[in-house]
Amino acid sequence: MDFIHSMKFPFVIVMGISLFALAVAFWLINWVMAKDTGTDEMRKISDAIKSGAEAYLRRQNSTIIALSSVLAIVIFVLYAFVRKSNEHDPAGPMVLALCTTGSFIAGAACSLIAGYVGMWVSIRTNIRTASAARTSLNDALRIALRGGAVAGLFVCAMSLIGVGGLFMLLKQLGFPYEKIPFMIVGYGFGASFVALFAQLGGGIYTKAADVGADLVGKVEAGIPEDDPRNPAVIADLVGDNVGDCAGRGADLFESTAAENIGAMILGVSLIPYFGWKGVVFPLVARALGILASIFGVLVVQTEEHEDPMDALNIGYYLTSFLAALGFAGASWWLLRCEQAPNAWIYYTTCGFIGILTAQAFVYVTQYYTEYKYRPVLSIAEASKTGPATNIISGIAVGLECTAIPIIVIAVAILSSYKLGVMALGPAAGHTGGLFGTAVATMGMLGTAAYILAMDTFGPITDNAGGIVEMSHQPEEIRKKTDRLDAVGNTTKALTKGYAIGSAALAAFLLFSAYLDEIYNYSGHHITVDLSKPEVFVGAMMGAMLVFLFASMAIKAVGEAAQTIIAEVRRQFKEKPGIMKGTEDPDYGQCVDIVTVGALKQMILPGLLATAGPVIVGLIMRGFITPENPTIAAEAVAGLLMVGTIAGILMALFLNNAGGAWDNAKKYIEMGNYGGKKSEAHKAAVVGDTVGDPFKDTAGPSLHVLIKLLATITLVLAPLFL
Amino acid sequence: MDFIHSMKFPFVIVMGISLFALAVAFWLINWVMAKDTGTDEMRKISDAIKSGAEAYLRRQNSTIIALSSVLAIVIFVLYAFVRKSNEHDPAGPMVLALCTTGSFIAGAACSLIAGYVGMWVSIRTNIRTASAARTSLNDALRIALRGGAVAGLFVCAMSLIGVGGLFMLLKQLGFPYEKIPFMIVGYGFGASFVALFAQLGGGIYTKAADVGADLVGKVEAGIPEDDPRNPAVIADLVGDNVGDCAGRGADLFESTAAENIGAMILGVSLIPYFGWKGVVFPLVARALGILASIFGVLVVQTEEHEDPMDALNIGYYLTSFLAALGFAGASWWLLRCEQAPNAWIYYTTCGFIGILTAQAFVYVTQYYTEYKYRPVLSIAEASKTGPATNIISGIAVGLECTAIPIIVIAVAILSSYKLGVMALGPAAGHTGGLFGTAVATMGMLGTAAYILAMDTFGPITDNAGGIVEMSHQPEEIRKKTDRLDAVGNTTKALTKGYAIGSAALAAFLLFSAYLDEIYNYSGHHITVDLSKPEVFVGAMMGAMLVFLFASMAIKAVGEAAQTIIAEVRRQFKEKPGIMKGTEDPDYGQCVDIVTVGALKQMILPGLLATAGPVIVGLIMRGFITPENPTIAAEAVAGLLMVGTIAGILMALFLNNAGGAWDNAKKYIEMGNYGGKKSEAHKAAVVGDTVGDPFKDTAGPSLHVLIKLLATITLVLAPLFL
């Protein structure tokens, strides 16, 4: 009984579920790997994708490891030698420096591994999905989803094991549990830092290859998409893996890690109510969410003539339902106390708000990016008068689509805050309310593993389609993979909606964690008062950073695409046999060139995102007035908050405009407004190409940027004081 | 001597200078009107433009008058019957209601008149410029600039007379001078309300006509720009007048009015130092700026083979120099006191910062929109690979161009704030600093009359070019008007940079005025603390409002353009003689259709901008917590501030991306990358068309939106308490 009431018990549960999830992931790997790998021709293509993707990731990871190592040293030096230690520190300067640096390295390493595993499975599942499509749609669907689930489970389990493990380790070393969340903030920063470069590099790679392949292949040479004569076609297929799998894997890994630590920091402020239980609640709630996702993944199956999306939706609803049940159980167990016996009911409701918010984002994303609805239809209609009106109308749709999500987030934040205040009554006040928003975020993240499985499903089916196309399979099999690919496009769009929604909801939690940390280190409760000129300037800088970062990310794709265009033109010119089909193009050379280009181009925006907030914070220190020693920290908070708002809006704009252009093109290709090769179609292709770097490079990178801003300020907060 | 030391003396100076400026304006009108009006053919075209523009403005103004009347009644009812009056009110509820409503009506009326006068002169100057171009470039330049100067002087003088006159009137009625600025905030709101609709309606009109004329004329029918066979060509020329003259006239009118009142409100808080002198300082400083502008306009002249832009620049530098001198004098006279005998030196420096900020914005705008520099060249280069890369590269340039202006504004705000703090010492603290930012804004606005003259120069020379083209003048005369037209494009871009720069710098002053007003009405000094969920949600709403508004404005152009496209197609079909030149197109019908379309389309975005902040404020009242009675006012402040930041960035993006696309096309037309009719040119035309609603509808409307947010919250602040 002592054990059951001790802090060890929930940790055993969290670790047990996490290890179980890893075991399931390994079982799924075996299940997928045992499937048939099709014909020799298919294997040849798949091997080319595999070696290209692995070569890229190896080089990308070396670059990231080098950057992270430098940063780890900088963090250590700053914490150990530059920073003035004070009586508020959770530990001595050297111990704190070691913890922060160590957790940074751990977070970075786990984020790298999470991204790598996602891609490892994806590049092995694609061919098995393609092969299965020759016999059964259901088999192909299940292989693709289960391959994706490996990534989902791995990412979520690793994030829990990392945060929980560091917590337990420091607890064993004798640190008081209420100090530990502040000592492991480096974990979130390490994870975001790696995620930013993984998403940027992968995003630039995938779209440079895509845009490059399209512009010389489709437009100049007039050959169809995924045509084996195009030297850039393998690079394009590689791009789907390194961008969508590796990139988004790292993205969601850092989301769950950072938000977990943030929620634990807020749990610390409720120790007078829930003791240690509030601190470990976020871990338990998410562990139960992983369990729910496992069930969700395993039930998915479809019939030959059903819409595969329906099957995926059933899995998602089941996951949401089970996660909600688990959430209620965890709240009942951990969020009750004598002063507030009914608090758990309020907080359970907060969790439900989070789950509903996720659903709302999924619906809004569908509305703005599917051709069943007005926005995409209006773009398709505007394509009739040429590319200019197509672009104007797409941009108008993108700007418009920000409205409902912001209202949804506003309602979610205000209502979970009010419920949190009601849960603990006026005595706890603001603190209880903030915890309410944190609990809502945990609710939203409960289904993360399933969502990530659906996301990785996207590039797997996309690749499967490419392999089927390039290996000249019969028309009916192509139709099958096309159906799966269309579903994959939808799930990719949905996960982007989910990722930005969770970033938005989590934002408030992460700000509050930052303010709590400032209090923890300085003993001052600061405001973030925009009427102070320093804070207002910080806020302007935050919003500007988002615009500049988006510009750099978009430009990077263009620059990298130029190099591949030049290469493809060179090959067409030097090897005239390629177009006749008598000579093989040199796929490897294209893969190499995009690799080098993407890695070169990711550095500048990555450094801007990392260095921007630090520079602003340090310059602000020069403006410190004696009567206000925390003004630099406050200005940085302004940068963080307004940067986050601008980032959410910009990401929504870029993601949804891109998705809408893509589907407007698809709608025309289905035979509307003249179908393929009509003037309307040409106009729609322009929109689609413009949307590519929007939705697959700049937009997703902004998700990570938002959280990087939060984690970098969390780690560096003590320096601004 | 008593008179010289009394408050009457500066008012006599302000009113004297304003009336003198009006006299100069009338003299300039006579000077321009006495010029030759060219051939019969030219007069025929000019008359068509004139009657179209006047018909449009009549109908637009009826709509605006109707909307303003409704709003005036609403304001009166809210102030007189809904609002709870309290002991802090500057006057009784009924008097306050009358003052606010009355000043609203006065502001709206003056704004309407200012816009109308600008257009009245412009549509009469265009033909005289065209006619003069037949003999002398210098004459044409001087006619166009002096015609523009009528608008500039009229707008600035009217704004001073309005604010100063209301102030004197209330003073005569016995109200204490320190209360008066709070009683006339309606003037700024009335001005912005009218300006918003004028800029929206005019902006939609001009770009719907332009895009419509281009798409059917240039693209479908293959006839050149300004070809008289195009039925939409007169509507296009009318558009330049109603968009650029009437719209921007109302825009700068409300800028100067709103910022003047805001600065006077801040002056009230410095009464312990400067007494009434600080309150009237803004009026005096601006009056001297008008005087400087008159000199600047009168010295401009050019030689036949010089670049006319050099002549305009000399005028601008002279104006800036004289305005700086006047500013120093006004500071020396009004901003000294026993406690701080050197304050005037610091504040003079603040004024210089404002003048330099204006220069910096002008330079940055040139860098991003002229084809001498990297940004435009990169877009031209990207056009080689088609419209998609042209668009991607233009958007990247637009997003990037936000960085330097934001840094400039940050430096200007922080340095003028610090100087203001130093001026009065730590005892005045924050208040002195805020007044520093207000003084910098006054410095920036000092040259407004000259800037506006240059702005109106744009549509005048554009129209002159159109008239010369349509009346089949010889090639060499066209070249002359083309040169003037190119300069006009530059000055139009520069004034947009100036307008957004002054909006950004003024933003901080207007926020502070809002907070002062809250204090004045409630006795509470509020913060704008983003860490409160209500304020954060307000901030999100503010940024979202900007995105949604931009979307609506862009979409409105598309919708209105569709109607004109349909009409031109109908005319081409029903009157086959038009294309052969044997039949006259029905210009009037096109003008009517755009008029109806633009007026219909301006309503929705206009209402969003006006109702948005009010709805958020009123909903927030439902969340008022007992311990914080001012939370709704604080949330609205968050909306205002973050909406302003988002608005500045979005406007910079839209204006400069549009300008850069325009000039990338011009660069290609000069013979680069294959010149006219090349594939690169076609791509560049797409970018130019996309940029049209960006730079001439959504962007300029956002300038007004930013200030409307400020003035509407100023007027409605007491309601949120």
Side-chain angles (χ1 to χ4, degrees):
Chain A
M1 279 307 279
D2 265 11
F3 171 70
I4 287 186
H5 291 293
S6 79
M7 205 195 295
K8 282 196 186 122
F9 181 56
F11 270 100
V12 168
I13 290 186
V14 168
M15 287 298 170
I17 293 180
S18 303
L19 293 174
F20 174 68
L22 287 186
V24 173
F26 280 111
W27 175 75
L28 288 174
I29 291 179
N30 279 323
W31 186 87
V32 168
M33 293 299 282
K35 299 289 172 186
D36 178 63
T37 54
T39 67
D40 277 346
E41 202 171 2
M42 289 165 91
R43 268 190 295 275
K44 195 179 127 199
I45 299 157
S46 163
D47 286 344
I49 299 175
K50 202 155 65 185
S51 67
E54 282 180 340
Y56 171 72
L57 220 61
R58 248 195 323 275
R59 286 167 76 163
Q60 177 187 279
N61 288 352
S62 322
T63 313
I64 293 179
I65 288 170
L67 290 169
S68 306
S69 307
V70 173
L71 191 55
I73 295 170
V74 170
I75 292 174
F76 182 79
V77 170
L78 286 175
Y79 263 78
F81 305 113
V82 176
R83 198 176 84 77
K84 276 186 293 177
S85 187
N86 68 30
E87 76 278 14
H88 298 291
D89 282 8
M94 197 47 75
V95 174
L96 195 59
L98 281 173
C99 285
T100 308
T101 314
S103 59
F104 172 81
I105 293 171
C110 290
S111 189
L112 270 187
I113 295 171
Y116 182 76
V117 169
M119 202 208 61
W120 190 93
V121 182
S122 165
I123 54 182
R124 283 161 179 83
T125 312
N126 53 11
I127 182 164
R128 292 168 170 87
T129 305
S131 173
R134 293 179 306 167
T135 50
S136 152
L137 182 73
N138 184 37
D139 278 357
L141 171 77
R142 299 211 318 166
I143 291 172
L145 182 66
R146 290 182 172 198
V150 173
L153 293 176
F154 220 90
V155 160
C156 292
M158 287 281 290
S159 135
L160 269 185
I161 291 174
V163 177
L166 281 174
F167 193 97
M168 286 216 296
L169 179 71
L170 291 174
K171 181 91 180 49
Q172 289 300 325
L173 289 174
F175 291 102
Y177 73 89
E178 69 273 18
K179 293 291 181 193
I180 298 178
F182 298 101
M183 299 167 70
I184 60 174
V185 290
Y187 190 81
F189 180 40
S192 330
F193 184 75
V194 168
L196 182 75
F197 283 99
Q199 181 66 66
L200 264 176
I204 295 169
Y205 186 108
T206 179
K207 288 303 122 172
D210 190 2
V211 171
D214 280 6
L215 282 179
V216 268
K218 281 199 228 171
V219 181
E220 287 187 16
I223 52 179
E225 192 158 348
D226 286 344
D227 190 296
R229 286 172 295 177
N230 190 333
V233 70
I234 294 288
D236 188 7
L237 291 169
V238 168
D240 293 322
N241 291 294
V242 300
D244 285 328
C245 302
R248 192 102 63 257
D251 174 1
L252 281 188
F253 176 82
E254 65 92 27
S255 293
T256 53
E259 284 147 31
N260 223 319
I261 296 172
M264 291 168 82
I265 287 180
L266 294 186
V268 169
S269 56
L270 290 183
I271 289 178
Y273 294 87
F274 303 127
W276 56 262
K277 289 180 173 176
V279 183
V280 302
F281 170 80
L283 293 168
V284 174
R286 286 200 33 237
L288 296 173
I290 295 184
L291 219 49
S293 301
I294 294 176
F295 282 104
V297 167
L298 293 181
V299 301
V300 170
Q301 54 184 340
T302 186
E303 298 292 324
E304 209 59 28
H305 297 289
E306 277 175 11
D307 182 354
M309 194 66 217
D310 292 340
L312 293 180
N313 276 335
I314 290 174
Y316 180 49
Y317 292 133
L318 179 71
T319 304
S320 294
F321 177 74
L322 292 177
L325 277 189
F327 205 88
S331 305
W332 180 82
W333 175 25
L334 295 166
L335 298 181
R336 279 179 308 163
C337 61
E338 271 178 38
Q339 304 100 302
N342 292 327
W344 72 278
I345 300 177
Y346 291 102
Y347 283 126
T348 300
T349 317
C350 292
F352 291 173
I353 289 175
I355 294 170
L356 288 176
T357 304
Q359 299 267 1
F361 264 79
V362 164
Y363 280 123
V364 174
T365 310
Q366 284 184 294
Y367 176 71
Y368 277 103
T369 57
E370 288 195 358
Y371 50 65
K372 277 180 264 178
Y373 308 101
R374 177 195 53 84
V376 172
L377 292 178
S378 73
I379 298 177
E381 161 98 35
S383 310
K384 286 193 300 180
T385 33
T389 40
N390 166 288
I391 298 289
I392 291 177
S393 141
I395 286 176
V397 164
L399 291 171
E400 180 196 311
C401 83
T402 56
I404 300 174
I406 289 291
I407 292 171
V408 167
I409 288 293
V411 171
I413 288 178
L414 285 180
S415 57
S416 59
Y417 179 84
K418 292 290 158 189
L419 284 166
V421 169
M422 286 153 72
L424 296 181
H430 190 54
T431 322
L434 289 182
F435 196 64
T437 67
V439 171
T441 310
M442 293 299 114
M444 186 153 185
L445 286 177
T447 54
Y450 189 88
I451 293 278
L452 196 51
M454 286 212 296
D455 186 51
T456 310
F457 177 89
I460 291 175
T461 52
D462 185 313
N463 266 229
I467 293 171
V468 164
E469 175 86 29
M470 287 183 66
S471 63
H472 309 289
Q473 299 295 318
E475 180 71 17
E476 60 176 277
I477 295 171
R478 286 195 214 176
K479 275 205 180 140
K480 230 177 263 178
T481 51
D482 277 356
R483 278 170 68 195
L484 287 177
D485 189 17
V487 171
N489 279 334
T490 306
T491 60
K492 274 191 285 185
L494 299 188
T495 28
K496 271 178 236 159
Y498 176 85
I500 188 65
S502 71
L505 190 57
F508 205 69
L509 136 76
L510 291 168
F511 305 154
S512 312
Y514 172 82
L515 299 180
D516 268 16
E517 205 193 30
I518 296 288
Y519 173 69
N520 185 58
Y521 276 95
S522 71
H524 292 286
H525 277 298
I526 65 165
T527 58
V528 187
D529 184 0
L530 277 180
S531 66
K532 293 179 185 149
E534 292 90 350
V535 182
F536 181 70
V537 164
M540 285 204 304
M541 290 291 166
M544 180 269 270
L545 211 60
V546 165
F547 277 64
L548 189 56
F549 178 84
S551 165
M552 285 180 174
I554 291 171
K555 218 181 313 180
V557 173
E559 304 277 335
Q562 289 302 329
T563 60
I564 200 167
I565 289 174
E567 169 62 18
V568 173
R569 283 191 187 141
R570 187 191 65 79
Q571 290 199 21
F572 278 153
K573 201 174 155 195
E574 293 179 7
K575 300 182 179 180
I578 295 179
M579 280 301 284
K580 294 178 205 136
T582 57
E583 207 170 351
D584 273 345
D586 186 350
Y587 300 128
Q589 188 65 23
C590 280
V591 170
D592 281 354
I593 282 178
V594 197
T595 300
V596 174
L599 293 181
K600 197 175 127 197
Q601 297 293 335
M602 79 180 181
I603 302 292
L604 197 61
L607 286 186
L608 170 78
T610 322
V614 183
I615 292 172
V616 171
L618 294 180
I619 290 179
M620 284 295 167
R621 284 186 71 172
F623 285 96
I624 297 172
T625 44
E627 69 275 20
N628 199 345
T630 53
I631 193 74
E634 194 172 340
V636 170
L639 179 149
L640 166 61
M641 293 190 181
V642 175
T644 299
I645 293 175
I648 294 167
L649 287 162
M650 185 62 84
L652 283 167
F653 163 60
L654 295 170
N655 287 343
N656 289 341
W661 271 315
D662 190 351
N663 279 330
K665 185 193 70 171
K666 293 223 168 80
Y667 180 74
I668 291 176
E669 284 175 354
M670 286 161 59
N672 299 292
Y673 300 124
K676 275 194 180 183
K677 305 212 169 162
S678 64
E679 284 302 312
H681 184 243
K682 274 187 205 153
V685 168
V686 171
D688 182 39
T689 310
V690 171
D692 271 343
F694 281 29
K695 72 177 194 301
D696 289 316
T697 312
S701 300
L702 277 171
H703 307 167
V704 191
L705 174 78
I706 292 169
K707 280 166 202 154
L708 180 80
L709 288 179
T711 55
I712 197 173
T713 47
L714 262 184
V715 166
L716 297 182
L719 297 172
F720 300 137
L721 291 170
Chain B
M1 277 306 281
D2 265 8
F3 171 71
I4 286 186
H5 291 292
S6 81
M7 207 196 292
K8 282 197 188 122
F9 181 54
F11 271 99
V12 168
I13 290 186
V14 168
M15 287 297 169
I17 292 180
S18 303
L19 293 175
F20 173 68
L22 287 186
V24 173
F26 280 110
W27 175 75
L28 288 174
I29 291 179
N30 280 325
W31 186 87
V32 168
M33 293 299 282
K35 300 288 170 183
D36 178 64
T37 56
T39 67
D40 277 346
E41 202 171 3
M42 288 165 94
R43 268 192 295 277
K44 196 180 126 199
I45 300 158
S46 163
D47 285 345
I49 299 175
K50 202 156 65 184
S51 68
E54 282 181 340
Y56 171 74
L57 220 62
R58 248 196 322 277
R59 287 167 75 163
Q60 177 187 277
N61 289 352
S62 324
T63 314
I64 293 178
I65 289 170
L67 289 168
S68 306
S69 309
V70 173
L71 192 56
I73 295 170
V74 170
I75 292 174
F76 182 78
V77 170
L78 285 175
Y79 262 79
F81 306 113
V82 178
R83 198 177 84 78
K84 278 185 294 180
S85 187
N86 68 30
E87 77 276 17
H88 299 291
D89 282 8
M94 198 47 75
V95 174
L96 195 59
L98 281 174
C99 285
T100 308
T101 315
S103 58
F104 172 83
I105 294 171
C110 291
S111 190
L112 269 186
I113 296 171
Y116 183 76
V117 169
M119 203 208 60
W120 190 93
V121 181
S122 164
I123 54 183
R124 283 161 178 84
T125 313
N126 54 12
I127 182 164
R128 290 168 173 88
T129 305
S131 172
R134 292 180 305 167
T135 49
S136 150
L137 181 73
N138 183 37
D139 278 358
L141 171 78
R142 298 204 330 160
I143 291 173
L145 181 66
R146 290 179 173 201
V150 173
L153 293 176
F154 220 90
V155 160
C156 292
M158 287 281 289
S159 136
L160 269 185
I161 291 174
V163 177
L166 281 174
F167 194 97
M168 287 215 295
L169 179 70
L170 291 174
K171 182 88 182 48
Q172 290 300 324
L173 290 174
F175 292 101
Y177 73 89
E178 69 273 19
K179 294 290 181 193
I180 297 176
F182 298 100
M183 300 167 70
I184 59 173
V185 290
Y187 190 80
F189 181 40
S192 331
F193 183 77
V194 167
L196 183 75
F197 283 98
Q199 181 66 66
L200 263 176
I204 295 170
Y205 187 109
T206 178
K207 288 303 122 170
D210 189 3
V211 170
D214 280 5
L215 282 178
V216 267
K218 280 201 228 170
V219 180
E220 286 185 19
I223 51 179
E225 192 158 346
D226 286 344
D227 190 296
R229 287 171 295 175
N230 191 334
V233 70
I234 293 290
D236 188 7
L237 291 169
V238 168
D240 293 322
N241 291 294
V242 299
D244 285 328
C245 302
R248 192 102 63 254
D251 174 1
L252 281 188
F253 176 81
E254 65 93 25
S255 293
T256 52
E259 284 147 30
N260 223 321
I261 296 172
M264 290 168 84
I265 287 181
L266 293 186
V268 169
S269 56
L270 290 184
I271 288 177
Y273 294 87
F274 304 125
W276 56 263
K277 290 181 174 176
V279 182
V280 302
F281 169 79
L283 294 169
V284 175
R286 284 200 37 238
L288 296 175
I290 295 184
L291 218 49
S293 302
I294 294 176
F295 282 105
V297 167
L298 293 182
V299 301
V300 170
Q301 56 183 341
T302 187
E303 297 293 324
E304 208 60 27
H305 295 289
E306 277 175 11
D307 182 354
M309 193 65 218
D310 292 340
L312 293 180
N313 276 334
I314 289 172
Y316 180 47
Y317 292 133
L318 178 70
T319 305
S320 293
F321 176 74
L322 293 176
L325 277 190
F327 206 88
S331 304
W332 180 82
W333 174 26
L334 295 166
L335 299 181
R336 277 179 309 162
C337 62
E338 271 177 38
Q339 305 101 302
N342 293 326
W344 72 277
I345 300 177
Y346 292 101
Y347 284 126
T348 300
T349 317
C350 293
F352 291 173
I353 289 174
I355 294 171
L356 287 176
T357 304
Q359 299 267 1
F361 264 78
V362 164
Y363 280 124
V364 173
T365 310
Q366 283 183 295
Y367 176 72
Y368 277 103
T369 57
E370 288 194 358
Y371 50 66
K372 276 181 263 176
Y373 307 102
R374 177 194 55 83
V376 171
L377 291 178
S378 74
I379 298 176
E381 161 97 35
S383 309
K384 287 193 299 179
T385 34
T389 40
N390 166 286
I391 298 290
I392 291 177
S393 144
I395 287 178
V397 163
L399 290 171
E400 180 196 310
C401 81
T402 56
I404 299 174
I406 290 291
I407 292 172
V408 167
I409 287 294
V411 170
I413 288 179
L414 286 180
S415 57
S416 59
Y417 179 84
K418 293 290 159 188
L419 284 167
V421 169
M422 285 153 72
L424 296 181
H430 191 54
T431 322
L434 289 182
F435 196 65
T437 66
V439 171
T441 310
M442 292 300 114
M444 186 153 184
L445 287 177
T447 54
Y450 189 88
I451 291 278
L452 197 52
M454 286 213 294
D455 186 51
T456 310
F457 176 88
I460 291 174
T461 53
D462 185 315
N463 265 231
I467 293 171
V468 164
E469 175 85 29
M470 288 182 68
S471 62
H472 309 288
Q473 300 295 320
E475 180 71 17
E476 59 176 276
I477 294 169
R478 285 196 213 175
K479 276 205 180 136
K480 228 177 262 177
T481 52
D482 276 357
R483 276 169 70 195
L484 286 177
D485 189 17
V487 170
N489 279 333
T490 306
T491 60
K492 274 193 284 183
L494 299 188
T495 29
K496 273 180 234 157
Y498 176 85
I500 188 65
S502 70
L505 190 57
F508 205 70
L509 136 76
L510 291 168
F511 304 155
S512 312
Y514 173 81
L515 299 180
D516 268 16
E517 202 191 35
I518 296 288
Y519 172 70
N520 185 56
Y521 276 95
S522 72
H524 291 285
H525 276 298
I526 66 166
T527 58
V528 187
D529 185 0
L530 277 181
S531 66
K532 293 180 187 151
E534 292 89 350
V535 182
F536 182 70
V537 164
M540 285 204 304
M541 290 292 166
M544 181 270 269
L545 211 60
V546 165
F547 277 65
L548 189 56
F549 178 83
S551 166
M552 286 180 173
I554 291 171
K555 217 179 317 180
V557 173
E559 303 277 333
Q562 289 302 329
T563 60
I564 200 167
I565 289 175
E567 169 62 20
V568 173
R569 283 189 187 143
R570 187 191 66 77
Q571 291 200 19
F572 278 152
K573 202 175 155 195
E574 293 178 7
K575 301 182 180 178
I578 294 179
M579 281 300 283
K580 294 178 205 134
T582 57
E583 207 170 352
D584 272 346
D586 185 350
Y587 301 127
Q589 187 65 20
C590 280
V591 170
D592 281 354
I593 282 180
V594 198
T595 301
V596 173
L599 293 181
K600 198 175 125 198
Q601 296 294 336
M602 79 179 181
I603 302 293
L604 196 61
L607 285 187
L608 170 79
T610 322
V614 183
I615 292 173
V616 171
L618 293 179
I619 289 179
M620 283 296 168
R621 283 186 72 172
F623 285 97
I624 296 172
T625 43
E627 69 273 21
N628 199 344
T630 53
I631 193 75
E634 194 172 339
V636 170
L639 180 149
L640 165 62
M641 292 190 182
V642 175
T644 299
I645 293 176
I648 293 168
L649 286 162
M650 185 62 85
L652 283 167
F653 164 60
L654 296 170
N655 287 345
N656 288 341
W661 270 317
D662 190 350
N663 279 330
K665 186 193 71 172
K666 293 222 168 83
Y667 179 74
I668 292 176
E669 284 174 354
M670 286 161 57
N672 299 292
Y673 301 123
K676 274 195 181 183
K677 304 212 170 166
S678 64
E679 284 303 312
H681 184 242
K682 275 187 202 155
V685 168
V686 171
D688 182 38
T689 309
V690 171
D692 272 343
F694 281 29
K695 72 178 195 299
D696 290 316
T697 312
S701 299
L702 276 171
H703 307 167
V704 191
L705 173 77
I706 292 169
K707 280 165 201 153
L708 179 79
L709 288 179
T711 54
I712 196 174
T713 48
L714 262 184
V715 166
L716 297 182
L719 296 172
F720 301 136
L721 290 170

